[in-house]
Amino acid sequence: ITMRSGKPSSKGRQRRSRSGGISYTRILFYAALIGIGSFISFYVQSSGGGVKLLSKDSQAPANPIARRQADIGVAVEAPAAAVAPAAAPPSVAPPAVAAPIPDPPKQQAAVVIPAKAPEPRKEAVSSDVTMQTLAAIQAIKDLKFYDEMQKQEYENHMIEFHTGSGTCDAICAAQSGRVCARDWFLHLDRCDIAQTIFPNGRCVEDASPGVPTFLESLNEVLVGKDGKSYPPTCSAPGQGGGLRLCPCVASDRARPGSTQPGVKAVREVVERLLTERDAHERLEASRGAHDSIEVDEDGAHVSSVQLSDIKAGRVEFYKGELGETCHAACKVQHMKCNEKWFKTLNQCEVMMAAFPQAKDGSYFKSCGSQFYGHDLPGYQTQMDTLLLNNDIDNFPSNCGGRGDSTLRVCPCVYKYPHALITYHSVFNVQSKQYFEWQSRYSVFWHKQIGQPGPITRLLSMGGAWPTNPSPHPVGDHLMAEVPTHIAPQYDYSIDNYVAYNKPLSITHWLQTTKVEEDVIIIMDPDCAYINKVDYQVEEGLPVATSGYYSFKDPNSIEMQIAKHYCKGVCEHYDPIAVPIVIHRKDLEKLAPLWLKYTEDIRRDREGPNKWPIEWNDNKYVVNRIEWVAEMFGYVIAAAHLDLRHEIVDLQLVPSVHKRLTPSVPFLHFHVRVETADHKFWNKGDDHAGQRFPWPVAEGTDPVTLRLLTALHEAYEAVGETERTKNNLW
């Protein structure tokens, strides 16, 4: 029987009557029953095991899914009249017969809800989750974003937050094909944010990658124990099957992932070696033998932690290109190098898994262990040999190490999403003709390569610190052209060592100016930008270039100097030089000590504590203490604060280096250079910025060519000042 508005069709009645299947009286009886059923379904709704009487105006939909939509305020659309089908397909349950629902507006189409559609309440809850999460994020003090993309998503409501069991990849995919935006864990992996969504849970730190998670059975909200060491990931399910809180964006805003899988053979060997080591260390620990077990800062076994990282997919191993740093190799994969893995990789079995064959096709059977270096372990192509680092404790392998003939195995970890890092480049000069062109060119090169953040000339001019701490009131003729901070000059009460002004000007700048950038790039005026600096420097983890000296030998002159001026305080000394990339908060503590130790060293130039002659004689030492007192002042100040640097290649020195290396940010032109046709140039002349070999002879090495090209481009762009052109100095 086909029904319209609860009344039987007369046409249908006549067809059935003629067939002799059903009598007219019986048809009237059935129609009465159906009418009563329609009346009941219209006025009565079952609720909570009882019966709830509704008014006619309520018009509650009988379909349970539609009814839940009405309960939570979701608009319900339906056909003009309910239709009871003669026979429903097996996969779709026949809906209950309902009273008429008013026609929807004509421009809206009816919604057909399949029996197995997702619960609409989840959609509403997800909307609430997004609004609640965004409100909680907005309340974060000093909120900083990972990048401009994340900031745009926040401001334009292009980010959604969803909860569910399983991985965030799957949870986001279920929301119309969205993708997990891993950098948003920067804001989600916090107790205050997670408890906004899961208010009934007490906050507990956990080292698993599947956080934040709510464990309803325990009433616990799990957040990361240490997001930098144990970062949350999109691919991990909630710990213990709990509900994850996930950040989801449209697929066209997907974050870049690794371009290729890691070296499977290396991962398998490392996992096996760590499994064996972890089992051995557990056995040793059960016997009370803890001395030989390496532990991290939390007291956990390093082998156990690393094994967990491999199983959780937090680390992959990639082979770098020839001469490439692990910083660069991991960056290509949108990951970050983690130098804590190099001790584990410094095993011959690992190297043979990465580089199994020599140039002649034979398989390696051993590794050389008579070398050390920041770029080891690795495959030395010129020697056609696998090399291990035989002094990894005193000369540690690091992410920035590189050798022109070295192929490295790089440990790349999931890149924890830091807030957007801001940079500020600074250099110190006096108002002299010698520094004029260097200052102007430095600003040009900074702008030319698009280095993020401002650049500031720290001009030491006027005053006599500390007796007269007031700097010159107006500065010099470059104030309008070159961004400048004026600092007082040192009073030279000890001696006329000009380099006192570097730590003094930095201290004055930080203490008298509101510096808002996170990371400070300390350079010299003879450093030319050729690539951007984009190291993700954190507080307590500065980066610097390697100096031409070492503290490896405990009896070296460098070590004698360091121990003499830092008695009983310092344990580690880093052989570094400018450029230096350091967090502002670290530099605020370090700069005054830098000046203090520079003064301490220079005071002993004369008097009863005069330096031993070897300290200041190039027959015994590469760097005479008379010239590098300020550099040692920095090194000792950092050691005093137990501030360890990652040593990376931040510079190329023309005439010393002949080969351009991708991503190295600076050319440090502090020595004389020579072209292929034997023309010379050095920075020492007051007019060196205008007088240099050009055009450059064919056959000149690439680093020298790059420097002379940079000088030519800067001169063409900014020219000479009237003061220099007319010799008015």
Side-chain angles (χ1 to χ4, degrees):
I1 299 174
T2 302
M3 297 187 63
R4 296 186 185 277
S5 302
K7 297 180 181 179
S9 164
S10 59
K11 203 170 185 179
R13 182 180 66 236
Q14 291 169 359
R15 278 200 304 268
R16 284 296 200 100
S17 182
R18 281 196 300 268
S19 67
I22 303 178
S23 70
Y24 183 78
T25 304
R26 190 170 295 178
I27 290 173
L28 289 176
F29 175 73
Y30 288 153
L33 287 178
I34 292 171
I36 293 170
S38 298
F39 179 85
I40 293 172
S41 67
F42 177 62
Y43 284 97
V44 180
Q45 177 181 4
S46 172
S47 175
V51 175
K52 181 179 179 182
L53 297 180
L54 304 176
S55 69
K56 290 184 179 180
D57 296 333
S58 342
Q59 294 186 341
N63 185 310
I65 294 177
R67 185 168 62 242
R68 293 190 67 188
Q69 286 181 313
D71 290 345
I72 62 176
V74 176
V76 179
E77 298 177 311
V83 179
S91 59
V92 180
V97 179
I101 297 176
D103 289 344
K106 291 184 179 180
Q107 67 269 24
Q108 294 181 345
V111 174
V112 179
I113 304 176
K116 295 186 179 180
E119 292 270 325
R121 182 175 293 275
K122 289 186 179 178
E123 292 294 331
V125 169
S126 294
S127 175
D128 292 343
V129 168
T130 296
M131 289 187 293
Q132 292 170 15
T133 305
L134 286 173
I137 290 172
Q138 187 178 16
I140 296 175
K141 186 179 180 181
D142 299 324
L143 176 64
K144 289 186 177 182
F145 295 100
Y146 175 70
D147 56 15
E148 289 301 323
M149 176 181 277
Q150 191 184 82
K151 183 179 180 182
Q152 184 186 51
E153 290 165 349
Y154 174 81
E155 292 176 345
N156 296 297
H157 306 286
M158 302 167 75
I159 177 73
E160 295 180 3
F161 301 96
H162 297 274
T163 60
S165 57
T167 70
C168 281
D169 282 332
I171 292 167
C172 291
Q175 305 298 323
S176 303
R178 291 182 172 268
V179 294
C180 176
R182 61 181 181 268
D183 48 87
W184 277 93
F185 287 122
L186 167 70
H187 307 298
L188 299 188
D189 189 24
R190 307 163 44 122
C191 284
D192 54 345
I193 303 298
Q195 287 181 313
T196 299
I197 307 305
F198 307 117
N200 296 326
R202 63 186 183 90
C203 199
V204 177
E205 291 184 339
D206 188 80
S208 75
V211 292
T213 294
F214 176 53
L215 294 176
E216 187 173 8
S217 59
L218 300 175
N219 281 332
E220 290 182 348
V221 176
L222 305 183
V223 296
K225 178 181 180 183
D226 177 3
K228 296 177 178 63
S229 299
Y230 310 103
T233 67
C234 293
S235 58
Q239 178 77 342
L243 293 176
R244 287 204 69 182
L245 174 60
C246 302
C248 306
V249 295
S251 58
D252 61 354
R253 302 185 69 82
R255 278 35 174 180
S258 57
T259 59
Q260 61 186 22
V263 183
K264 182 179 179 182
V266 172
R267 185 174 66 252
E268 290 174 346
V269 168
V270 171
E271 184 172 359
R272 177 174 55 78
L273 293 174
L274 284 173
T275 301
E276 294 171 357
R277 187 170 123 201
D278 183 50
H280 173 74
E281 289 180 350
R282 289 176 185 274
L283 180 60
E284 291 295 297
S286 68
R287 296 171 176 169
H290 298 280
D291 294 342
S292 62
I293 300 175
E294 184 182 3
V295 297
D296 62 14
E297 56 271 15
D298 296 323
H301 293 189
V302 170
S303 60
S304 179
V305 172
Q306 290 186 337
L307 188 59
S308 169
D309 284 345
I310 287 182
K311 292 180 177 179
R314 291 191 184 109
V315 62
E316 285 287 354
F317 305 99
Y318 293 91
K319 291 189 288 188
E321 300 293 334
L322 193 65
E324 186 178 39
T325 69
C326 282
H327 274 307
C330 293
K331 186 177 179 180
V332 169
Q333 306 301 330
H334 303 284
M335 301 177 81
K336 182 179 180 181
C337 175
N338 186 330
E339 62 185 27
K340 294 180 180 180
W341 282 87
F342 283 117
K343 279 191 176 181
T344 301
L345 297 181
N346 194 40
Q347 300 181 68
C348 194
E349 196 170 349
V350 176
M351 288 299 103
M352 288 191 293
F355 309 104
Q357 291 178 280
K359 290 179 180 178
D360 62 4
S362 62
Y363 286 88
F364 287 115
K365 297 181 180 178
S366 62
C367 301
S369 58
Q370 65 272 41
F371 298 91
Y372 62 88
H374 296 308
D375 61 330
L376 299 180
Y379 172 36
Q380 222 290 340
T381 57
Q382 194 171 9
M383 300 168 60
D384 198 17
T385 305
L386 300 179
L387 297 179
L388 302 180
N389 187 346
N390 77 344
D391 195 9
I392 200 167
D393 291 320
N394 295 313
F395 211 89
S397 309
N398 63 38
C399 297
R402 58 166 296 277
D404 288 344
S405 302
T406 305
L407 288 169
R408 303 191 64 187
V409 177
C410 300
C412 303
V413 299
Y414 172 82
K415 188 176 179 181
Y416 184 76
H418 301 280
L420 179 64
I421 289 180
T422 51
Y423 299 91
H424 199 136
S425 304
V426 296
F427 60 93
N428 170 244
V429 296
Q430 292 76 52
S431 185
K432 297 179 179 179
Q433 184 176 2
Y434 170 71
F435 289 120
E436 185 198 59
W437 69 267
Q438 295 181 52
S439 299
R440 299 174 73 231
Y441 287 14
S442 291
V443 172
F444 168 77
W445 291 323
H446 177 274
K447 182 178 181 180
Q448 184 186 46
I449 60 98
Q451 171 60 34
I455 184 170
T456 298
R457 176 183 64 148
L458 304 179
L459 176 64
S460 296
M461 186 177 182
W465 190 92
T467 54
N468 179 11
S470 300
H472 194 281
V474 295
D476 64 4
H477 65 292
L478 295 181
M479 298 296 291
E481 180 183 358
V482 177
T484 301
H485 170 83
I486 310 172
Q489 293 189 91
Y490 191 77
D491 69 359
Y492 304 117
S493 57
I494 299 173
D495 59 16
N496 62 353
Y497 184 59
V498 176
Y500 290 124
N501 287 302
K502 185 190 289 187
L504 172 59
S505 65
I506 290 175
T507 302
H508 186 270
W509 174 61
L510 291 171
Q511 291 181 353
T512 63
T513 305
K514 186 178 180 181
V515 180
E516 297 182 347
E517 291 75 28
D518 306 302
V519 176
I520 311 302
I521 302 167
I522 304 172
M523 50 187 280
D524 281 340
D526 57 356
C527 290
Y529 266 112
I530 57 172
N531 287 299
K532 296 178 186 179
V533 172
D534 60 356
Y535 288 98
Q536 301 284 309
V537 171
E538 304 168 27
E539 188 174 354
L541 296 170
V543 170
T545 200
S546 177
Y548 297 104
Y549 61 102
S550 171
F551 294 105
K552 184 176 184 297
D553 182 355
N555 298 313
S556 68
I557 290 175
E558 290 83 3
M559 186 62 85
Q560 291 174 30
I561 296 170
K563 288 183 175 179
H564 179 78
Y565 290 103
C566 197
K567 298 182 179 75
V569 178
C570 305
E571 295 183 8
H572 305 284
Y573 305 95
D574 294 330
I576 58 91
V578 290
I580 298 166
V581 186
I582 184 171
H583 198 279
R584 182 191 69 250
K585 292 181 180 178
D586 290 329
L587 189 57
E588 287 171 347
K589 293 179 285 187
L590 185 144
L593 284 173
W594 181 2
L595 177 60
K596 171 198 177 301
Y597 280 115
T598 301
E599 292 175 321
D600 290 349
I601 294 170
R602 293 294 300 189
R603 280 194 186 96
D604 290 342
R605 186 167 178 262
E606 301 292 344
N609 297 318
K610 187 176 180 179
W611 309 319
I613 190 171
E614 296 86 357
W615 290 12
N616 205 39
D617 193 329
N618 285 135
K619 289 187 297 185
Y620 303 97
V621 65
V622 174
N623 298 292
R624 292 183 297 113
I625 190 63
E626 183 177 39
W627 178 244
V628 297
E630 168 266 316
M631 183 179 72
F632 269 90
Y634 178 96
V635 169
I636 297 170
H640 184 121
L641 297 172
D642 197 25
L643 197 61
R644 302 303 308 273
H645 296 70
E646 182 179 355
I647 299 176
V648 302
D649 280 344
L650 291 176
Q651 66 178 20
L652 295 171
V653 179
S655 80
V656 174
H657 298 104
K658 305 293 185 181
R659 175 180 171 181
L660 280 173
T661 303
S663 77
V664 171
F666 290 104
L667 293 179
H668 198 165
F669 49 90
H670 58 82
V671 295
R672 187 179 74 165
V673 300
E674 181 181 3
T675 62
D677 57 350
H678 307 296
K679 293 179 180 178
F680 297 93
W681 179 88
N682 70 66
K683 66 171 186 173
D685 187 270
D686 286 346
H687 295 276
Q690 298 86 40
R691 300 170 183 171
F692 47 84
W694 192 264
V696 183
E698 187 176 349
T700 300
D701 71 86
V703 178
T704 299
L705 174 61
R706 182 67 181 85
L707 169 62
L708 296 175
T709 301
L711 290 169
H712 174 72
E713 291 171 345
Y715 178 66
E716 289 292 310
V718 304
E720 293 181 85
T721 64
E722 289 299 317
R723 177 175 293 202
T724 295
K725 188 182 297 183
N726 298 316
N727 291 316
L728 299 178
W729 282 91

